[in-house]
């Protein structure tokens, strides 16, 4: 047990049992006492630390954890388990330490490892520690610096030596980018070498800075490039970013390295295992483990080889002549996601060699879903519910089922139609019928098809994810279309208008290829109940009009308004309210007469459109002359020279605020307004936040104050709407505050990480569908995401702008950092919609609508699910319903509550949730008979 007072660190440690230069898998369980608060659990050695963030969902239960570390060459290490800035107690148990070996692999036998990739002739190596949750990297030759989660601490004289090499290639050019984000004193000297013994200085880095060092042309061509980063004796700083970029002489496609760890046992005398390529290690129709052997014996060797995976056993018998080599291919299948093992046995019936590879299959690579529709030669057509991620090379399903959908009126319903091609082929045309039910017709104009576009993730957002190609943006379908080898998913979205008669509609989608035509029937059941226009789950999502203007190459205000309207229509269709879509309230000060003159004309015109017609249910009321700030800094305003806190300021600001509040009240918009003026306060900010909230309460008590913070007693009575990060909300405290009339919202941004719902591109989009449902379960009244079109960072891309189709990472901006600064905010964070694809193909004005994403679409599904739940809850107390119907509704809501036990324990399977939604539909249909 380790206890802490919330300040500094506490830990338990063993004797020196971890040997230098060895790789260990360290497994343990931890238990966080329910009342504990703080930052992180720390592990596993004195010179190696990997933080495990403390999340409220993990408190009060035992959690299993495994990490893999390579011990530095400086000497034996002690095992260390502890806590950092935690107030409370944490227990550790079931500690296991096992030595493991490492395998780095990639296509073309290039043997790249984690953090390495090739695109064409460009080789890149960078720290991928968000992906690995380990300090091991293939290209680190030696390290004496202290490793801490995702960065290296240079304290005193320390060094890291890195070796970059691509088998069978020579480097023709190269550069290194290095960043010091935390600095007290000293300097970092960067040197290079071709052989690791003769070094030349490349440059020096000191202070907080990001710097690029170009390697001199005299070193090229080179088989290998060594880089050494070393610190001076009195140094104390952290290097948190490293990136080597080199041009190689051969050209490839997109190749990503991977690192997997394994245990080896036994001995097979005279048989040399030259190389093992384990394949993709995710579900794929191409999965083969390749085993390269050599018989060093004087006699012929007969070997029996067996590979065991989750779906079966692959066997092979091999005879190898003396001093000959052989290659064995063993096919295997993976189907589900989670922790996996591949067990390879090689035996001659006397001696045996055993390899046990352990790895994790991310959820987005699962293949345990989908239904086969049709087969024709090298093409297979299959479908899946929305919310699943269709990876490019997953196997096609074998279970058959026709496309059957159901929907309320005024609802969008979607599915994924997947075209699998053995080789590239051309889709010439698509014909969509208008589904019919007797005399009633659902117009084909309400059926839209989009191409799910795959984008490259190089640095995963979380340690259990993988680099690779992930579908996210859904592009308007343009025919003819060249389909790629593997899966080509089409996103099919159907809108059921409010006046659609109930019934069972049938139609088809015909796919016309160059060599064949395949027609797919679809069935849609339309219920008699209608979803309301206005959403009952409040929302506030950030949106940057300036980015639209920049990416669409717009030069005039009129064109901007035309395009912005298309974005706001997307918000409307997805039942999400943007922060502030209206024109600003115009204000003129007459300081001599101490008067404030308002002009609401432009504001009222746009507010009437967005609040009344579009039914946006909230907006952030932006106040002039009031403080703004965050945990990082804040500003103090003034009016007519009167500074915040003075009597004159208070008098003028009171006139200003009351003028706005009275106007909003007269229009019926006041209950939709939120005062969000301070973001994520730290404890040090509480007095200032309290002062601001107190002033707002004194002047306009009917105006709702809003704060992105969990409920804290220091601010009780001053906040009307609490909106903490989802992982920070204590549901017990939240329930107590809700009883006092306060509202609870929550937000997701770069965190919390899984198992919470996330907006990461690599995670199944279905998580965002469940977010509104989880909100309903726990009485949360609103959801917030800080941005929806955060397409670029002025730090990571200071001289240009980012292409989110090529680089999906959201990089930090602001907070006092410098141009060139790199910090990962995770893939897709604040980016739920995309600029039109053609905006990157031309520099003339682009007036097209925004491109949606799978995450944006499934979030809308979740908002619609919330309306189902809201209607059921309302019907539960409806006096017009028979008691037996109300009892059925009660049991179904209890069933849903049991499925959603916490913000991290909820249905993960879209098919399972679709079954629940069908139950809700039939109950709403039944109840509808008695109400109308």
């Amino acid at each position: 047990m380790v206890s802490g007072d919330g300040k500094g660190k506490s830990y338990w440690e063993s004797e020196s049992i971890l040997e230098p230069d060895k790789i260990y898998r360290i497994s343990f369980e931890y238990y966080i006492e329910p009342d504990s608060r703080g930052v992180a659990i720390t592990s596993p050695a004195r010179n190696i630390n990997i933080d495990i963030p403390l999340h409220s969902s993990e408190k009060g239960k035992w959690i299993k954890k495994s990490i893999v570390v390579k011990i530095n060459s400086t000497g034996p290490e002690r095992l260390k388990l502890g806590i950092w800035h935690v107030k409370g107690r944490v227990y550790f148990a079931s500690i296991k330490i096992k030595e493991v070996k490492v395998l780095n692999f990639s296509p073309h036998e290039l043997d790249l490892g984690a953090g390495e990739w090739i695109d064409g002739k460009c080789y890149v190596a960078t720290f991928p520690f968000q992906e690995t949750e380990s300090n091991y990297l293939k290209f680190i030759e030696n390290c004496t610096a202290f490793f801490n989660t995702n960065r290296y601490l240079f304290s005193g004289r320390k060094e890291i030596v890195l070796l970059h090499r691509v088998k069978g290639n020579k480097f023709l050019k190269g550069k290194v980018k290095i960043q010091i984000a935390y600095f007290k004193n000293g300097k970092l000297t960067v040197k290079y070498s071709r052989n690791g013994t003769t070094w030349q200085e490349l440059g020096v880095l000191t202070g907080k800075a990001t710097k690029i060092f170009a390697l001199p042309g005299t070193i090229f061509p080179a088989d290998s490039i060594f880089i050494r980063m070393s610190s001076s004796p009195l140094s104390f700083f952290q290097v948190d970013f490293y990136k080597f970029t080199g041009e190689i002489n051969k050209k490839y496609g997109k190749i990503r390295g991977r690192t997997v760890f394994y245990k080896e046992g036994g001995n097979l005398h005279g048989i040399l295992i030259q190389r093992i390529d384990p394949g993709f290690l995710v579900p794929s129709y191409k999965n083969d483990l390749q085993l390269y052997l050599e018989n060093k014996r004087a006699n012929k060797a007969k070997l029996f080889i067996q590979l065991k995976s989750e779906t079966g056993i692959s066997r092979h018998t091999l005879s190898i002549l003396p001093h000959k080599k052989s290659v064995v291919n063993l096919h295997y299948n993976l189907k589900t996601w989670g922790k996996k093992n591949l067990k390879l046995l090689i035996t001659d019936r006397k001696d045996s060699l055993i390899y046990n590879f352990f790895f994790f299959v991310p959820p987005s690579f699962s293949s345990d879903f989908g239904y086969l529709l049709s087969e024709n030669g090298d093409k297979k057509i299959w479908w899946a519910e929305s919310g699943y991620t269709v990876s490019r090379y997953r196997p096609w399903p074998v279970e058959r089922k026709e496309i059957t959908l159901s929907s309320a009126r005024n609802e969008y319903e979607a599915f994924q139609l997947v075209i699998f091609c053995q080789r590239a082929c051309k889709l010439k045309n698509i014909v969509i019928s208008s589904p019919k039910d007797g005399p009633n017709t659902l117009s084909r104009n309400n059926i839209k098809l989009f191409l799910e576009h795959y984008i490259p993730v190089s640095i995963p957002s979380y340690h259990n994810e993988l680099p690779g190609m992930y579908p996210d943006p859904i592009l308007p379908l343009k025919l003819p279309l060249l389909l790629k080898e593997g899966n080509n998913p089409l996103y099919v979205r159907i809108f059921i208008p409010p006046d659609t008669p109930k019934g069972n509609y049938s139609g088809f989608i015909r796919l016309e290829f160059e060599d064949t035509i395949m027609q797919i029937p679809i069935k849609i059941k339309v219920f008699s109940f209608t979803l309301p226009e206005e959403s009952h789950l409040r929302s506030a999502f950030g949106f940057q009009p300036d980015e639209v203007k920049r990416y669409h190459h717009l030069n005039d205000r009129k064109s901007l308004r035309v395009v912005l309207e298309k974005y706001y229509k997307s918000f409307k269709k997805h039942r999400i309210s943007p922060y502030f879509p209206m024109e600003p309230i115009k204000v003129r000060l007459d300081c001599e007469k101490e008067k404030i003159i308002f002009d609401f004309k432009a504001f009222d015109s746009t507010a009437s459109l967005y609040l009344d017609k579009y039914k946006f249910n909230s907006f952030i009321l932006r106040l002039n002359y009031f403080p703004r700030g965050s945990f990082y800094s804040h500003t103090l305003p003034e009016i007519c020279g009167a500074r915040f806190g003075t009597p004159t300021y208070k008098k003028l600001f009171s006139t200003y605020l009351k003028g706005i509040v009275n106007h909003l009240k007269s229009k019926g918009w006041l209950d939709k307004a939120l005062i969000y003026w301070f973001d994520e306060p730290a404890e040090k900010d509480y007095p200032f936040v309290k002062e601001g909230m107190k002033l707002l309460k004194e002047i306009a008590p009917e105006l709702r104050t809003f704060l992105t913070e969990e409920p804290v007693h220091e601010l009780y009575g001053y906040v009307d709407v609490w909106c903490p990060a989802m992982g920070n909300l204590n549901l017990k405290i939240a329930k107590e505050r809700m009883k006092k009339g306060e509202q609870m919202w929550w937000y997701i941004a770069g965190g919390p990480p899984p198992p919470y719902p996330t907006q990461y591109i690599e995670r199944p989009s279905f998580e965002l569908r469940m977010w509104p449902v989880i909100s309903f379960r726990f009485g949360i009244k609103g959801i917030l995401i800080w941005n929806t079109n955060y397409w670029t960072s002025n730090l990571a891309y200071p001289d240009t702008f980012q292409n989110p189709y090529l680089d999906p990472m959201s990089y930090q901006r602001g907070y006092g950092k410098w141009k060139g600064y790199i910090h990962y905010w995770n893939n897709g964070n604040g980016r739920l919609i995309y600029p039109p694809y053609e905006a990157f193909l031309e520099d003339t004005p682009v007036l097209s609508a925004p491109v949606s994403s799978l995450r944006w679409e499934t979030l809308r599904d979740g908002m619609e699910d919330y309306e189902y739940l809201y209607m059921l809850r309302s019907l539960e107390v409806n006096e017009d319903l028979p008691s037996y119907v109300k009892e059925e509704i009660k049991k179904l809501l209890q069933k849903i509550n049991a499925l959603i036990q916490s913000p991290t324990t909820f249905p993960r399977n879209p098919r399972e949730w679709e079954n629940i939604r069908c139950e809700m539909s039939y109950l709403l249909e039944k109840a509808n008979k008695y109400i109308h």
Side-chain angles (χ1 to χ4, degrees):
M1 185 272 290
V2 179
S3 62
D5 60 2
K7 303 172 184 176
K9 59 185 176 182
S10 305
Y11 57 87
W12 164 89
E13 65 179 357
S14 70
E15 298 298 320
S16 298
I17 56 175
L18 305 174
E19 299 181 28
D21 290 323
K22 290 191 174 181
I23 302 173
Y24 293 95
R25 186 187 191 193
I26 300 172
S27 303
F28 55 91
E29 295 182 33
Y30 61 88
Y31 177 93
I32 308 166
E33 286 194 340
D35 293 334
S36 298
R37 293 186 66 181
V39 179
I41 294 168
T42 59
S43 61
R46 293 183 65 87
N47 288 314
I48 302 166
N49 174 65
I50 296 175
D51 286 340
I52 305 168
L54 217 65
H55 292 298
S56 59
S57 66
E58 294 184 342
K59 294 178 183 178
K61 54 187 176 184
W62 285 98
I63 306 294
K64 293 182 179 180
K65 191 70 179 179
S66 292
I67 54 179
V68 176
V69 293
K70 181 179 180 181
I71 304 304
N72 291 356
S73 59
T74 51
E77 280 272 12
R78 299 181 179 190
L79 176 65
K80 185 182 76 171
L81 298 172
I83 52 180
W84 170 254
H85 282 238
V86 171
K87 187 175 183 179
R89 290 186 287 192
V90 177
Y91 297 81
F92 296 93
S94 305
I95 302 170
K96 297 177 183 178
I97 304 171
K98 293 184 179 180
E99 185 180 352
V100 296
K101 295 188 176 182
V102 63
L103 177 66
N104 299 292
F105 62 98
S106 60
H108 302 288
E109 300 183 20
L110 296 177
D111 297 338
L112 306 179
E116 295 181 288
W117 68 86
I118 293 173
D119 191 348
K121 297 178 72 174
C122 179
Y123 162 85
V124 176
T126 190
F127 294 163
F129 296 125
Q130 296 194 167
E131 165 195 347
T132 60
E133 201 173 36
S134 170
N135 72 325
Y136 172 82
L137 283 179
K138 174 204 159 194
F139 54 85
I140 293 185
E141 280 284 284
N142 183 53
C143 175
T144 60
F146 174 76
F147 176 80
N148 186 9
T149 308
N150 58 2
R151 57 199 181 276
Y152 287 95
L153 171 63
F154 289 76
S155 177
R157 192 182 293 276
K158 296 290 190 294
E159 74 167 20
I160 302 177
V161 177
L162 307 103
L163 168 58
H164 302 293
R165 179 186 295 147
V166 180
K167 187 186 296 185
N169 280 265
K170 292 184 181 295
F171 286 107
L172 307 178
K173 294 179 183 178
K175 60 183 178 180
V176 178
K177 188 174 185 178
I178 300 170
Q179 178 171 284
I180 295 177
Y182 176 85
F183 180 86
K184 279 192 173 180
N185 53 272
K187 67 176 181 178
L188 181 74
T189 301
V190 184
K191 295 185 177 182
Y192 68 93
S193 173
R194 292 179 58 166
N195 54 25
T197 56
T198 305
W199 297 91
Q200 299 291 324
E201 185 171 310
L202 195 55
V204 172
L205 195 59
T206 186
K208 294 181 181 180
T210 308
K211 193 171 182 178
I212 296 175
F213 302 92
L215 290 162
T218 54
I219 196 176
F220 301 106
D223 296 317
S224 303
I225 299 291
F226 289 83
I227 301 294
R228 183 169 72 189
M229 299 186 289
S230 58
S231 55
S232 53
L234 298 178
S235 294
F236 194 90
F237 54 80
Q238 293 178 358
V239 172
D240 70 336
F241 182 83
Y242 172 90
K243 184 177 183 180
F244 175 87
T245 306
E247 181 186 338
I248 54 178
N249 61 299
K250 295 180 182 177
K251 187 175 183 179
Y252 303 89
K254 286 182 170 62
I255 298 175
R256 291 173 178 83
R258 189 168 176 190
T259 297
V260 66
F261 301 98
Y262 65 94
K263 291 181 285 187
E264 180 182 343
N267 184 38
L268 199 55
H269 176 72
I271 301 298
L272 176 64
I273 307 301
Q274 294 182 316
R275 185 171 180 272
I276 299 176
D277 184 338
F280 289 94
L281 294 184
V282 294
S284 170
Y285 66 91
K286 293 182 170 185
N287 263 335
D288 286 299
L289 182 145
Q290 290 187 313
L291 180 63
Y292 296 75
L293 311 97
E294 183 177 359
N295 182 8
K296 294 283 190 178
R297 297 174 180 176
N299 303 313
K300 182 172 72 171
K302 187 173 184 179
L303 302 176
F304 302 90
I305 304 170
Q306 174 180 293
L307 180 65
K308 184 178 182 181
S309 69
E310 69 171 345
T311 58
I313 298 175
S314 179
R315 295 182 175 91
H316 189 87
T317 302
L318 176 69
S319 293
I320 316 180
L321 295 174
H323 307 292
K324 294 294 182 179
K325 298 178 182 179
S326 186
V327 179
V328 176
N329 290 307
L330 296 163
H331 186 72
Y332 66 92
N333 290 317
L334 297 170
K335 193 170 185 180
T336 59
W337 66 275
K339 294 180 180 179
K340 304 295 177 186
N341 290 84
L342 275 186
K343 294 183 180 180
L344 176 64
L345 169 67
I346 310 165
T347 181
D348 60 3
R349 302 298 195 197
K350 293 181 181 178
D351 299 312
S352 298
L353 197 55
I354 300 173
Y355 294 87
N356 186 5
F357 299 93
F358 52 92
F359 54 97
F360 189 89
V361 173
S364 291
F365 287 91
S366 178
S367 66
D368 60 345
F369 63 89
Y371 313 94
L372 186 62
L373 291 167
S374 180
E375 300 177 84
N376 191 320
D378 61 352
K379 301 176 187 67
K380 292 177 173 59
I381 310 299
W382 60 279
W383 77 281
E385 297 88 348
S386 65
Y388 286 111
T389 302
V390 179
S391 58
R392 177 73 83 185
Y393 298 113
R394 62 145 282 181
W396 56 89
V398 295
E399 179 185 354
R400 288 182 177 267
K401 180 183 175 183
E402 62 182 3
I403 300 171
T404 54
L405 310 170
S406 64
S407 176
R409 297 185 294 200
N410 196 34
E411 183 179 13
Y412 289 88
E413 185 61 17
F415 66 95
Q416 297 176 93
L417 184 64
V418 186
I419 305 170
F420 173 85
C421 302
Q422 288 286 141
R423 59 190 64 84
C425 64
K426 184 180 286 186
L427 177 63
K428 294 174 60 179
N429 190 35
I430 296 179
V431 177
I432 305 171
S433 74
S434 293
K436 296 181 180 296
D437 178 31
N440 300 320
T441 300
L442 180 64
S443 172
R444 66 168 64 90
N445 295 330
N446 292 314
I447 303 176
K448 306 294 183 184
L449 272 68
F450 304 86
L451 176 66
E452 296 184 15
H453 183 74
Y454 288 78
I455 56 177
V457 168
S458 298
I459 303 295
S461 303
Y462 188 59
H463 63 82
N464 271 338
E465 310 306 327
L466 289 174
M469 302 297 290
Y470 290 84
D472 188 50
I474 56 171
L475 303 177
L477 199 58
K478 295 182 179 180
L479 298 169
L481 177 65
L482 183 63
L483 300 174
K484 296 185 178 181
E485 176 193 349
N487 294 305
N488 298 268
L490 305 179
Y491 190 84
V492 184
R493 187 177 69 201
I494 304 171
F495 177 63
I496 310 298
D499 58 353
T500 304
K502 65 172 288 189
N504 297 301
Y505 293 77
S506 298
F508 63 82
I509 297 176
R510 187 164 65 238
L511 306 173
E512 300 178 355
F513 300 94
E514 284 188 315
D515 56 350
T516 188
I517 294 175
M518 303 172 80
Q519 186 161 298
I520 309 300
I522 57 173
K523 295 181 178 180
I524 309 167
K525 181 178 181 61
V526 177
F527 290 101
S528 62
F529 63 92
T530 306
L531 295 192
E533 285 291 328
E534 186 168 3
S535 296
H536 291 89
L537 177 63
R538 291 183 179 268
S539 58
F541 281 37
F543 177 69
Q544 301 178 96
D546 286 347
E547 288 299 273
V548 173
K549 180 180 179 181
R550 182 182 184 189
Y551 275 78
H552 283 254
H553 318 296
L554 304 176
N555 301 314
D556 62 276
R557 184 174 175 78
K558 183 179 179 181
S559 297
L560 177 60
R561 288 307 310 179
V562 168
V563 174
L564 286 179
E565 182 61 18
K566 294 177 181 179
Y567 279 83
Y568 293 138
K569 282 184 177 178
S570 178
F571 275 85
K572 176 184 181 294
K573 289 178 180 178
H574 291 78
R575 295 179 171 267
I576 296 295
S577 301
Y579 273 4
F580 190 86
M582 287 77 74
E583 289 289 321
I585 298 170
K586 296 179 181 178
V587 178
R588 183 168 60 86
L589 298 177
D590 186 337
C591 295
E592 289 185 6
K593 297 180 180 179
E594 294 187 348
K595 285 187 177 181
I596 299 178
I597 299 93
F598 296 96
D599 180 355
F600 291 105
K601 184 177 180 181
F603 172 83
D604 284 355
S605 175
T606 49
S608 179
L609 172 65
Y610 298 126
L611 301 181
D612 296 335
K613 184 178 179 180
Y614 282 18
K615 305 295 183 182
F616 291 157
N617 58 24
S618 69
F619 67 96
I620 305 301
L621 180 58
R622 303 191 183 281
L623 296 178
N624 299 327
Y625 322 119
F626 196 70
R628 292 181 184 178
S630 70
F631 63 90
Y632 176 71
S633 66
H634 62 260
T635 58
L636 293 176
E638 60 178 44
I639 307 179
C640 294
R643 292 188 60 79
F644 177 77
T646 64
T648 304
Y649 167 87
K650 184 176 180 180
K651 178 183 176 182
L652 289 170
F653 179 73
S654 178
T655 303
Y656 164 77
L657 184 58
K658 286 180 178 179
I660 291 176
V661 168
N662 290 335
H663 183 79
L664 294 177
K665 192 185 299 183
S666 70
K667 293 289 187 177
W669 299 328
L670 184 61
D671 66 326
K672 296 186 177 186
L674 297 168
I675 302 296
Y676 177 16
W677 63 277
F678 204 100
D679 187 42
E680 299 177 337
E683 191 172 347
K684 64 177 175 57
D685 301 311
Y686 290 167
F688 180 71
V689 171
K690 183 177 179 180
E691 182 184 5
M693 296 294 193
K694 184 179 179 181
L695 180 61
L696 292 171
K697 290 283 185 186
E698 288 178 6
I699 298 171
E702 65 268 65
L703 195 58
R704 292 185 303 162
T705 55
F706 183 95
L707 189 65
T708 47
E709 177 71 316
E710 63 266 28
V712 290
H713 64 86
E714 293 92 336
L715 298 176
Y716 285 171
Y718 295 95
V719 179
D720 298 311
V721 182
W722 302 92
C723 184
M726 194 174 183
N728 292 341
L729 183 60
N730 183 309
L731 292 172
K732 181 180 178 181
I733 295 175
K735 191 176 292 186
E736 293 171 357
R737 300 313 301 173
M738 286 189 280
K739 288 178 181 177
K740 295 184 179 297
E742 296 167 4
Q743 277 193 15
M744 293 297 150
W745 289 34
W746 50 18
Y747 71 85
I748 56 176
Y756 289 94
T758 76
Q759 51 174 327
Y760 305 161
I761 286 171
E762 313 95 292
R763 298 289 298 179
S765 61
F766 181 69
E767 292 181 351
L768 280 178
R769 178 171 186 172
M770 294 309 297
W771 189 25
V773 177
I774 298 168
S775 301
F776 181 88
R777 165 70 173 87
F778 295 107
I780 307 301
K781 299 301 182 184
I783 57 175
L784 179 145
I785 290 181
W786 67 283
N787 213 329
T788 49
N789 65 328
Y790 185 63
W791 297 328
T792 192
S793 160
N794 60 349
L795 303 180
Y797 287 85
D799 302 318
T800 181
F801 57 89
Q802 183 177 349
N803 184 336
Y805 292 97
L806 299 179
D807 185 357
M809 179 60 70
S810 294
Y811 300 92
Q812 181 176 326
R813 67 177 180 189
Y815 297 112
K817 301 303 182 183
W818 53 92
K819 287 186 177 181
Y821 176 79
I822 298 292
H823 181 70
Y824 303 128
W825 274 358
N826 299 325
N827 296 291
N829 178 11
R831 188 182 301 162
L832 294 169
I833 47 181
Y834 290 78
Y837 195 79
E838 60 266 29
F840 299 96
L841 305 177
E842 52 194 73
D843 57 6
T844 55
V846 175
L847 303 181
S848 305
V851 169
S852 184
S853 70
L854 293 174
R855 294 167 297 134
W856 192 230
E857 295 298 308
T858 50
L859 177 60
R860 188 257 318 285
D861 291 339
M863 297 297 288
E864 292 172 338
D865 292 340
Y866 189 97
E867 296 306 316
Y868 275 65
L869 292 163
Y870 183 87
M871 288 191 291
L872 284 173
R873 178 63 53 82
S874 301
L875 290 169
E876 195 179 9
V877 295
N878 191 301
E879 294 181 357
D880 295 332
L881 283 185
S883 58
Y884 83 93
V885 177
K886 290 194 282 188
E887 186 62 26
E888 287 183 59
I889 291 173
K890 181 180 178 180
K891 288 181 179 179
L892 179 57
L893 291 175
Q894 288 174 342
K895 179 180 178 179
I896 293 170
N897 285 350
L899 286 172
I900 304 170
Q901 298 175 18
S902 75
T904 58
T905 306
F906 55 86
R908 303 274 176 178
N909 187 326
R911 185 184 302 173
E912 175 189 359
W913 182 249
E914 283 294 341
N915 293 334
I916 295 292
R917 197 182 72 100
C918 283
E919 289 186 54
M920 291 194 286
S921 298
Y922 281 105
L923 267 181
L924 288 168
E925 180 86 339
K926 182 184 289 187
N928 207 37
K929 296 176 184 177
Y930 296 96
I931 296 172
H932 298 286

